[in-house]
Amino acid sequence: GEVWMKQLKMLKIVNSILTIDFMVVVISVLLYKIIPGELNGSEEMASLHGLSGMIFFIFVILHIILNFKWIKANFFSKKKG
């Protein structure tokens, strides 16, 4: 029904943010630790990595909440047979 459609729309938004933020987490750590250059070891990349990591964690929690019914049905239900 209507609740499911709102949940699906919210999930699409959360998943899009998760995808973009994950790329920021990866790119920031590459620039901070691995790729030589001006940004290697910079405070800006360390801060960006930390902040994007926290945002990622929050959106993973939201993702789990929005998918909890599916998770419960597939991982915590009693198997028959």
Side-chain angles (χ1 to χ4, degrees):
E2 192 177 324
V3 173
W4 170 243
M5 293 307 288
K6 284 183 180 180
Q7 193 172 348
L8 197 58
K9 187 175 183 179
M10 184 67 122
L11 195 55
K12 286 180 181 180
I13 294 167
V14 167
N15 288 347
S16 297
I17 293 169
L18 265 176
T19 301
I20 293 165
D21 190 55
F22 180 73
M23 289 189 275
V24 173
V25 170
V26 170
I27 291 167
S28 64
V29 81
L30 288 174
L31 289 169
Y32 179 60
K33 294 278 187 185
I34 297 165
I35 298 171
E38 200 174 299
L39 296 173
N40 193 286
S42 72
E43 188 63 40
E44 292 85 5
M45 284 301 109
S47 295
L48 180 61
H49 183 69
L51 179 62
S52 59
M54 286 185 269
I55 291 167
F56 187 78
F57 178 77
I58 291 165
F59 277 86
V60 164
I61 299 299
L62 286 173
H63 176 85
I64 290 169
I65 291 167
L66 290 170
N67 282 296
F68 196 70
K69 195 181 287 185
W70 183 89
I71 293 167
K72 211 165 85 173
N74 286 279
F75 292 101
F76 301 110
S77 66
K78 294 179 182 169
K79 303 286 181 195
K80 293 179 182 172

